Amino acid sequence: MADCPHKRIRPLGEGAVGDVHLCVDVFDRRLVVVKWLRAEVHENSEAAVRFTREADLMLGMNLFGVIRVETWNVDDYGRTWMAMEFVDGLVPSAVIRPGDGWAAHRLIEGVGRSLDELHGDGVLHRDLKPDNVLLRNRSDGWEPVIIDLGIAKWLSEEAATTTGSVFGTPHYMSPEQFRDTKHVGPATDRYALAVMCYELLCGRPPFDGRNLPDLLQQHMNAPVPPLRVPLPAQAHENGSTLHGSEQRVVSAPNIDRFMQRAMAKDPRQRYSSSREQSDAFAQAAMADGLWAAPAQPQPLFPPLEMPTIQFSSPQEPTVKRFDVRAGPIVLGRHEACQFQVSSRRLSRLHACIFTHRGQLWLADLHSQNGTVFQGRSMTPGIPSPLPTDGTVASIRLYDREILIQAVPGPPG
């Protein structure tokens, strides 16, 4: 058993058997994501078996567009934990607007390539959905990353569930998955990817039953509804909306034909690979006029204009600078901290400054005596935004006041 070496910054999600936190790795100066199972979840329980199975499956995998799991263990309190790389990005629906066929294709192409690599390694996802994909920020736009393989299985192994069980998220499950989770193949993942694409284009999923039996019947028997794609109101060249214009809703007959095959009830009638599926979608979106590639793809978040953070203290004349692009800055009395404070009333790892989604943040790391920012006590787990315009901000770590400021120029 080994305690998790990473300090919690803030929660990212919570489930029935565990939770996920954004954490800092002070030794390697980076952000990581850690999943914890609750202590009451027994080590030999079905949830714990699936959890460690996912960790073992992903450990050491280095596939395109699939989050990397780095390590896992069980701590002294009996909690199983798993550490993964941090992906700085947004959910697909926050970036891809309805009717944006170019962006939808970028998602299908990227996720599809990852699926083909997973399938080539004998791994089936079985629960592909928007919550399991993030769009990672890049200087030339974004790229999709599969961030969760929670119920993935090796194709060559027996499934962990019994024949006839339902395992997945109903809105994105294929007909064969409703019938028997144990006997599904790569076509199931491609079906879910097509459902995600439909939802992004229309703003709603193709099937949305009032209850699970109704949803099951639609996936298994109902034809795929024709797309009704909402487009933004027409605008002047200067960007203002034309007077009296309303949102338009258009059909997409070529994408309709694509969806009929991509979501065919019989998996043998669907596309034979994710590459074939993404190419077919691109042709359909262009034919329907739902394709507007940007001249210059922009990153999701603008880069910090002043990425150098300057630290000073009224008690000490020394000024220190750190480039936040090199990673988080941890404050405390531990020798691994980037900014060390000698007071023994401080926690070894007391507070942290980091960037996330283009913003600079300060977080208290569940410290012993707390952190005060601009005169207010911080709540652990709730980071506060820091000024990035050169304004000086005050941090008090128990009895030590520290002034921080974003400044131009290299660190020193």
Side-chain angles (χ1 to χ4, degrees):
M1 293 187 177
D3 286 336
C4 179
H6 310 308
K7 289 290 291 185
R8 302 187 191 200
I9 292 177
R10 73 175 183 89
L12 296 176
E14 184 175 347
V17 296
D19 46 38
V20 184
H21 282 256
L22 176 65
C23 299
V24 60
D25 178 348
V26 64
F27 298 99
D28 289 336
R29 197 180 171 189
R30 64 196 180 115
L31 297 176
V32 293
V33 173
V34 181
K35 285 185 180 182
W36 273 277
L37 285 184
R38 301 192 195 286
E40 59 267 27
V41 178
H42 192 272
E43 191 174 345
N44 296 320
S45 67
E46 185 178 2
V49 169
R50 289 201 196 109
F51 186 90
T52 55
R53 189 164 171 265
E54 175 190 4
D56 279 334
L57 185 152
M58 298 180 68
L59 197 62
M61 290 177 63
N62 190 19
L63 301 180
F64 171 86
V66 179
I67 195 169
R68 294 193 311 275
V69 169
E70 299 172 356
T71 185
W72 71 272
N73 216 312
V74 181
D75 65 21
D76 292 336
Y77 299 98
R79 297 174 300 184
T80 306
W81 58 271
M82 173 172 57
M84 303 172 289
E85 69 169 316
F86 166 67
V87 176
D88 193 5
L90 296 170
V91 297
S93 60
V95 178
I96 302 175
R97 297 172 298 177
D100 190 346
W102 179 86
H105 173 258
R106 185 164 183 162
L107 176 83
I108 293 176
E109 184 179 45
V111 174
R113 178 178 167 187
S114 301
L115 289 177
D116 281 349
E117 290 199 28
L118 284 169
H119 298 159
D121 281 354
V123 181
L124 179 66
H125 193 288
R126 295 197 303 166
D127 193 26
L128 192 65
K129 56 185 176 183
D131 288 347
N132 287 340
V133 175
L134 270 182
L135 306 185
R136 173 161 43 199
N137 186 46
R138 290 184 9 166
S139 59
D140 62 346
W142 51 264
E143 64 181 356
V145 180
I146 298 174
I147 61 170
D148 198 335
L149 292 180
I151 60 172
K153 66 178 287 286
W154 294 103
L155 294 175
S156 59
E157 293 180 356
E158 289 296 314
T161 55
T162 57
T163 301
S165 61
V166 174
F167 207 171
T169 303
H171 280 90
Y172 307 92
M173 286 170 58
S174 64
E176 65 271 18
Q177 197 170 6
F178 276 107
R179 286 191 293 267
D180 184 1
T181 300
K182 193 173 182 180
H183 297 98
V184 295
T188 289
D189 286 342
R190 290 193 285 272
Y191 182 97
L193 183 56
V195 174
M196 288 175 57
C197 175
Y198 187 109
E199 183 176 2
L200 288 169
L201 288 174
C202 293
R204 59 178 178 81
F207 303 121
D208 194 13
R210 293 167 296 179
N211 48 49
L212 181 59
D214 190 20
L215 193 58
L216 182 152
Q217 188 279 331
Q218 292 178 18
H219 275 284
M220 296 187 69
N221 301 309
V224 180
L227 279 81
R228 300 291 293 164
V229 181
L231 297 180
Q234 292 181 334
H236 289 291
E237 291 183 0
N238 63 8
S240 62
T241 303
L242 292 174
H243 179 70
S245 63
E246 297 179 353
Q247 186 182 64
R248 296 177 296 145
V249 178
V250 301
S251 59
N254 291 284
I255 298 182
D256 282 340
R257 285 190 286 272
F258 164 84
M259 292 295 176
Q260 294 296 330
R261 181 175 175 185
M263 285 189 279
K265 308 303 181 187
D266 185 346
R268 295 171 297 182
Q269 296 178 3
R270 297 176 203 149
Y271 295 100
S272 59
S273 71
S274 299
R275 175 64 181 272
E276 180 188 14
Q277 181 168 294
S278 68
D279 289 347
F281 175 80
Q283 294 175 10
M286 291 179 189
D288 285 332
L290 297 177
W291 189 275
Q296 181 72 37
Q298 297 297 313
L300 299 180
F301 321 117
L304 292 173
E305 294 184 2
M306 293 189 286
T308 299
I309 309 302
Q310 177 174 288
F311 290 78
S312 60
S313 173
Q315 296 97 335
E316 296 180 8
T318 305
V319 173
K320 294 184 178 181
R321 291 183 173 185
F322 300 91
D323 189 338
V324 76
R325 293 171 299 184
I329 305 163
V330 179
L331 299 82
R333 58 185 178 85
H334 193 284
E335 61 182 11
C337 291
Q338 285 71 51
F339 189 87
Q340 293 184 38
V341 184
S342 58
S343 173
R344 295 191 61 82
R345 294 185 179 274
L346 267 64
S347 296
R348 299 174 72 202
L349 306 177
H350 198 101
C352 177
I353 294 174
F354 64 100
T355 58
H356 180 34
R357 295 181 177 176
Q359 175 63 53
L360 195 63
W361 300 90
L362 169 69
D364 178 84
L365 298 178
H366 300 266
S367 63
Q368 177 178 325
N369 291 309
T371 301
V372 176
F373 173 55
Q374 300 288 63
R376 293 188 176 185
S377 296
M378 297 189 67
T379 301
I382 304 179
S384 296
L386 291 172
T388 58
D389 60 357
T391 302
V392 177
S394 170
I395 303 174
R396 181 172 290 277
L397 309 181
Y398 188 67
D399 59 350
R400 295 292 302 276
E401 184 181 8
I402 300 170
L403 303 178
I404 60 172
Q405 180 183 16
V407 298

